[in-house]
C-alpha cells in the first residue's frame, strides 16, 4: 500500500524596498509536492511590483507609474472542463517558463482614482505561448483604463 498523504512544502520570501518615491515589492515562492501524480505546482514563482509615486499640487494629485512582473517555472498545469466546472490533471504539455509583464499608470484626484494599464506587454514574443491553464491562453496584449469614484453619505 502506498502512502496517499499529500505534502506540499512551500517557502515564501517577501521583501519591500522604498527609496524616496521608488517602491519595489518582491515575492519568491519555492514549492515541492511529494506526490506529483496527484498535484503539480511550479517549483519556483517570482513576482515583482516596481513603481514610482509622488504627489503634486499640494498633494491633491497622487500619481504612480510602474510595472508588474511575474515568472514561474514550467509544470504540467491542470486543465479546465467547463461542462463539469472542474479542473482535472493533464500530462500533455507544460505551461509556464516565460515572463509576464504589465505596465501601469495610476492617479488620484480627491475621491476619484484613474488607471491606465498595458497588459501582457511581452505577448507575441517568439517561442512563448502564454497560458494560465492548459488550453486557456492568457489575455492578449491590450490597453485597459478605468476610474473609480468614491461617494460619501
Amino acid at each position: 500500500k502506498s502512502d496517499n498523504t499529500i505534502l506540499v512544502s512551500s517557502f515564501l520570501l517577501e521583501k519591500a524596498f522604498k527609496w524616496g518615491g521608488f517602491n519595489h515589492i518582491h515575492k519568491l515562492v519555492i514549492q515541492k509536492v511529494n506526490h506529483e501524480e496527484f498535484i503539480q505546482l511550479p517549483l519556483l514563482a517570482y513576482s515583482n511590483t516596481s513603481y514610482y509615486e509622488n504627489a503634486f499640487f499640494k498633494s491633491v494629485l497622487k500619481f504612480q507609474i510602474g510595472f508588474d512582473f511575474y515568472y514561474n517555472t514550467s509544470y504540467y498545469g491542470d486543465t479546465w472542463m467547463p461542462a463539469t466546472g472542474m479542473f482535472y490533471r493533464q500530462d500533455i504539455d507544460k505551461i509556464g517558463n516565460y515572463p509576464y509583464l504589465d505596465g501601469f499608470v495610476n492617479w488620484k484626484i480627491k475621491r476619484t482614482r484613474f488607471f491606465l494599464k498595458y497588459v501582457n506587454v511581452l505577448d507575441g514574443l517568439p517561442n512563448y505561448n502564454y497560458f494560465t491553464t492548459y488550453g486557456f491562453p492568457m489575455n492578449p496584449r491590450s490597453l485597459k483604463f478605468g476610474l473609480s469614484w468614491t461617494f460619501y453619505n
Side-chain angles (χ1 to χ4, degrees), residues 1-143:
K1 180 181 176 194
S2 67
D3 180 19
N4 289 336
T5 302
I6 298 173
L7 177 64
V8 177
S9 301
S10 177
F11 176 75
L12 169 66
L13 183 62
E14 183 175 352
K15 181 65 179 169
F17 299 97
K18 185 170 184 164
W19 182 60
F22 295 96
N23 297 274
H24 304 279
I25 303 165
H26 300 270
K27 293 180 185 177
L28 176 67
V29 177
I30 301 170
Q31 52 198 6
K32 184 72 176 153
V33 178
N34 66 338
H35 285 292
E36 289 187 353
E37 63 270 18
F38 298 118
I39 186 172
Q40 295 187 57
L41 298 171
L43 175 64
L44 177 109
Y46 171 75
S47 69
N48 171 17
T49 299
S50 293
Y51 60 95
Y52 175 77
E53 69 178 345
N54 206 339
F56 300 99
F57 307 112
K58 298 182 182 180
S59 296
V60 173
L61 171 66
K62 296 184 180 171
F63 176 82
Q64 292 181 338
I65 185 168
F67 64 88
D68 292 321
F69 174 81
Y70 182 78
Y71 170 83
N72 63 273
T73 54
S74 63
Y75 69 105
Y76 289 103
D78 291 343
T79 190
W80 175 254
M81 173 56 72
T84 60
M86 297 175 64
F87 285 95
Y88 66 94
R89 183 177 165 78
Q90 65 86 22
D91 290 326
I92 300 168
D93 203 5
K94 290 186 175 186
I95 62 172
N97 199 29
Y98 42 77
Y100 186 79
L101 182 69
D102 294 339
F104 63 86
V105 176
N106 301 319
W107 64 98
K108 180 179 177 185
I109 302 172
K110 295 190 180 187
R111 296 181 313 213
T112 307
R113 292 179 290 144
F114 302 88
F115 76 88
L116 185 64
K117 187 173 188 177
Y118 196 53
V119 178
N120 202 359
V121 173
L122 303 174
D123 181 33
L125 289 179
N127 303 322
Y128 289 125
N129 291 317
Y130 289 88
F131 287 92
T132 52
T133 299
Y134 179 74
F136 290 87
M138 289 182 174
N139 289 330
R141 185 177 2 183
S142 59
L143 184 64

